[in-house]
Amino acid sequence: MNALTSRLRAATLGVALAGCTAAWPAQATEAADGRAPASRQSDIGVVTGLAVGALAAGPAGAVVGATAGALLGDRYHRQAQSSLQLRERLDRSDAERARLAQNVAQLDGSLAQARAAGEQLDQTLQRTDELGLDVSFRTDDDSVTVQAMGPLLKLGALATSMPQARLHIAGYADPRGSDAWNRDLSLRRAENVAAVLAAAGLTRERMLIEAHGKSEAGSADGDLDAYALERRVTVRLQLEGSGQVAQRD
């Protein structure tokens, strides 16, 4: 009886080893064909369980061993797949954190720029007594020179960006000529300056235009240099509601 059992176990072991031999080329073929790793792990488990079961308990043990080996191989495969997916999720999380950190850094930079611009505007508003310019004119002429265009456009754009700001525009003339003539001349000068400011985007409702003619001229007769200073248009920034027009020494 013992001899028969030994022969059966030997035969079963031979079958198991034959299964191992057949499984290994099959696994190589599956790898080449791209089959799922689950089948390879199960095949290895089946063959290994079959061999161990055959040695331990004969044909019945071979069947039990094969089943247990298949289950263990499949479980090993699932654990390996779970580990791989977890690593992929961690990699994606690291990439997302890096992108988030970059976005936060860019946002901080934008906020810093906006804060600096706000501080600069506050400083500008605190120095309104420095905001203004004078535009000079030739004798009996009301045209704005090319040299005066750039500063006027800059001042007009600044006033446009400040909703509470208006510009006070006053035209003057030297003492030569009649009062009516000089009043009309100073008004044309002021209107032409206002047209340049309007080209920068400032609406007429935000401009206060005045014509003083020669009423404020104080030059001595024949003082041509003093006359040149009186042929002008003054432009001053005024904050609405303050009741004060910006002045410059």
Side-chain angles (χ1 to χ4, degrees):
M1 182 66 180
N2 290 334
L4 178 59
T5 301
S6 298
R7 286 196 297 272
L8 289 174
R9 288 184 178 179
T12 304
L13 179 59
V15 172
L17 292 177
C20 291
T21 306
W24 290 332
Q27 292 169 20
T29 305
E30 291 165 2
D33 294 341
R35 286 179 58 188
S39 61
R40 294 198 298 271
Q41 298 295 341
S42 298
D43 289 344
I44 293 173
V46 169
V47 173
T48 303
L50 182 64
V52 173
L55 289 174
V63 174
V64 174
T67 303
L71 294 175
L72 289 174
D74 185 62
R75 180 178 179 184
Y76 173 80
H77 169 72
R78 288 198 300 270
Q79 290 177 346
Q81 288 296 100
S82 298
S83 298
L84 178 61
Q85 292 173 359
L86 179 59
R87 285 196 297 270
E88 290 176 350
R89 286 197 295 269
L90 290 176
D91 291 341
R92 287 196 297 268
S93 297
D94 290 340
E96 289 296 332
R97 280 196 295 270
R99 283 194 292 269
L100 180 60
Q102 183 179 5
N103 292 338
V104 170
Q106 292 175 351
L107 180 60
D108 289 342
S110 300
L111 291 175
Q113 292 177 355
R115 190 178 298 110
E119 292 175 355
Q120 184 177 6
L121 180 58
D122 290 340
Q123 293 175 1
T124 299
L125 292 175
Q126 293 172 4
R127 296 196 307 267
T128 53
D129 58 339
E130 300 177 5
L131 294 178
L133 56 86
D134 293 348
V135 182
S136 300
F137 292 85
R138 292 182 292 271
T139 300
D140 199 21
D141 188 14
D142 59 13
S143 59
V144 180
T145 63
V146 175
Q147 292 80 3
M149 289 283 188
L152 281 173
L153 290 172
K154 290 180 180 179
L155 183 58
L158 176 62
T160 301
S161 67
M162 301 166 59
Q164 75 277 31
R166 299 198 316 170
L167 289 181
H168 181 254
I169 306 166
Y172 300 88
D174 65 40
R176 294 172 294 180
S178 66
D179 290 342
W181 174 259
N182 282 309
R183 189 180 304 108
D184 182 66
L185 177 61
S186 65
L187 178 61
R188 295 198 309 272
R189 288 170 174 169
E191 290 285 354
N192 289 340
V193 168
V196 177
L197 295 170
L202 191 66
T203 62
R204 290 296 293 247
E205 292 77 11
R206 297 175 62 187
M207 302 182 202
L208 177 61
I209 301 174
E210 296 178 350
H212 295 274
K214 66 175 185 177
S215 62
E216 298 186 18
S219 303
D221 291 342
D223 189 346
L224 299 181
D225 291 336
Y227 289 169
L229 297 176
E230 292 180 338
R231 298 190 301 269
R232 71 190 189 281
V233 169
T234 62
V235 184
R236 299 292 181 267
L237 184 73
Q238 179 180 11
L239 297 181
E240 193 171 19
S242 67
Q244 296 180 351
V245 176
Q247 296 289 334
R248 184 174 63 181
D249 296 336

